Amino acid sequence: MVSTQAQTVTDAEPDFPWGRAPYPVLVADAEGTLVQRNNAAQALLPAACPGSRLADVVPAWLVAAHQAMCLAGTRTAQEPGVPLSGAIEARQFEAHPRVRDDRTVAWWLVDDTDHQLAREALRTERERTAFLAKASSILLSSLNLGRCMDVTAHMAAENLADAALAIAPARGDRLPVVTCLRGGAPATAQEVVDPDEVPGLGEALRGFPPVPSRWIDPSAAPHWMIPEGFGPIGAIVITPLPGHGVPAGALVLLRKEGSAAFTEEEEVFARLFAARSGAAMSAARLYAEQTAITEVLMRELLPPSLHQISGVDFAGSYRPSADHERIGGDFYDVHPAAVEGEPSLVTLGDVCGKGLEAAVLTGKIRNTLHALLPMADDHQRMLTLLNTALLNSHHTRFATLVLASAARKGNEVHVRLTSAGHPNPLIIRANGTVKKADTRGTLVGALPSVRARTTTVTLAPGESCILYTDGITEAKGGPLGDTLFGEERLMRALAGCAGMPAEGIVEHVQMLASQWLGKRRHDDMAVVAISAPRTHHLSAVNGHTRGRYTS
């Protein structure tokens, strides 16, 4: 509402100077009697003749404004809340008062219809823009397809129609549908229907342009499309939900019988909303597909769960360089022998670098070693063939590796160890002594040939062989935060692990390294323990059963 302050003017022509003014002008006295009018006012209000009561010939809003002006008792006061604009003959006018010397009030009526329509259009556009921005924000905050469909149906029902359905492309013979009534909650269903039986729905699900709502007979809507308790449908809009390259589904808007039909402008706005919903649903579906693919691939890259194989205890632990990651450049595997009693092959390695790129090369190395299992008894040959495979690949990274063939012989475990540029395995004896295994060699994937020395160690019951990556010994921390955990500190820690089970040893090593690091950055860390289990026999002594360990 435009507020215009009342003014007192001295007329140059006391009779009526505004007779030919282009705006309608009415002059009324304090008693509400019309005193004068100009030609424009006569054309607008033919019944408004001088001498008639203002209340009988002008709209109520103008009468109220005149009464307030007269009762104020001052030339500038206006009663708060009294309208100074309103409708006359389906058009919008603003009334501007001017108090004359004889205490009559001249009312200038200015046609404000076009401005009012422009303001209304601007307000509507701002509301719609705010709605679309809110919809985009809510829809893009989730990468869950079900959640996106719920939000789409709910926002459409609350803002565009009396009810809405978000429909995803069919999965087999089932059509995923989320239905929402205005003021209600979304409901999910799987409909066994043929979308082509619904006019416009099959086309929308295939991404074709929408069919205008005036071409769709509401009575043709199937029962599954009508929410329970909704009643007869008065108007229906079916528009596609466009996705990234492929359609994301369809949006159905319903209005009850007796409600206004959808205008062309409303259908265009529905398509704008559908574009945002379709983009969010498409992104959610793509994310779900990528997540499923990643999970499948990840299972092949994750370290395996280790256990006892052919009388030998195995345990492993892996901690990636970043806590939010699950894979990296360190790896280990245990391959059981094809024949019972033959050595199982243990591989533990460290690829140069970390993160996803290192994990990809890790997967290549693990797969290559798996393919070379038929020659697992010849460590040197396996390393040579692996080295050739890496040199011939597009990868420029290298790796360190240790191979261990472990087999149970009576109560002992015999382990053949071969290191290719990797830290020496550590042997924990039953008396707490910790020694390095005498094996060393060159890197894999860096030089034309790889040379490595193989050594054999024998583990008595309760003794273990520890394979680890340099992420353990190079963990930087301590009181000042810049000291390496180091090989000597690791060996002292392992000396206290004599007789511990394999699982306990790897957990103890990882715990000590983590405590040493604190919250500092670190490399990937992997540990594998190969242990000769203690054997437990039962024997009867004096009628009682007791256990004893033999070695």
Side-chain angles (χ1 to χ4, degrees), residues 225-292:
M225 190 178 283
I226 305 173
E228 184 177 355
F230 186 79
I233 298 177
I236 182 172
V237 164
I238 301 177
T239 187
L241 294 169
H244 302 294
V246 295
L251 174 66
V252 179
L253 305 178
L254 306 177
R255 282 184 177 169
K256 296 180 179 180
E257 189 176 54
S259 300
F262 290 97
T263 65
E264 184 176 351
E265 184 180 7
E266 288 175 327
E267 292 187 44
V268 171
F269 183 66
R271 291 198 290 271
L272 293 176
F273 171 72
R276 286 157 174 78
S277 299
M281 288 172 57
S282 181
R285 181 177 288 109
L286 180 61
Y287 176 77
E289 293 174 354
Q290 291 177 339
T291 299

Side-chain angles (χ1 to χ4, degrees), residues 292-304 326 366:
I293 294 172
T294 300
E295 286 296 327
V296 172
L297 297 176
M298 189 76 73
R299 285 198 293 268
E300 296 299 318
L301 296 176
L302 290 174
R326 300 172 63 190
R366 293 174 68 184

Side-chain angles (χ1 to χ4, degrees), residues 435-449:
K435 294 184 177 181
K436 298 180 184 179
D438 186 18
T439 176
R440 64 181 60 87
T442 56
L443 300 171
V444 179
L447 301 173
S449 62

Side-chain angles (χ1 to χ4, degrees), residues 24 26 42 78 90 123 159 209 258 274 339 386 432 443 458 462 528-529 536 542 549:
L26 299 172
Q42 181 180 2
Q78 296 180 29
R123 181 189 64 79
N159 297 274
V339 179
L386 175 62
L443 300 171
T458 300
V528 170
H536 188 267
N542 297 327
Y549 287 100

